[in-house]
Amino acid sequence: MTNAKTGIIAGVAVLTLGIVSLIISFDYGYYSEIGPGPGFFPVWISGILIVLAILYIIENLRGKMSAARNGRPGNP
């Protein structure tokens, strides 16, 4: 496998983990009477993980496309 393909697979795996974590974290209370509840930080951490995974996938796709334009397989 090329580096770009491996990066895309890893990005999709992390994205899946983030989405599953976000769904599970909605079962906890986001806010309580005294402040942030037990689901506050998992929601934010999962959201950040999802955004970073999407950016990582885009970065690998761009590297793969630019390498294909230059006639080189994989990431430069």
Side-chain angles (χ1 to χ4, degrees):
M1 272 196 264
T2 63
N3 289 337
K5 189 172 184 179
T6 306
I8 293 169
I9 292 170
V12 170
V14 173
L15 180 64
T16 304
L17 176 69
I19 291 171
V20 170
S21 298
L22 184 68
I23 292 169
I24 292 171
S25 68
F26 284 134
D27 289 339
Y28 301 111
Y30 182 75
Y31 204 77
S32 67
E33 304 84 37
I34 58 172
F40 182 80
F41 289 111
V43 166
W44 280 99
I45 297 294
S46 298
I48 291 169
L49 187 65
I50 290 169
V51 169
L52 291 176
I54 290 170
L55 291 175
Y56 186 72
I57 292 168
I58 291 171
E59 182 73 22
N60 277 288
L61 287 172
R62 282 187 182 168
K64 187 176 181 180
M65 287 188 299
S66 69
R69 269 188 256 128
N70 295 332
R72 292 179 290 186
N75 279 342

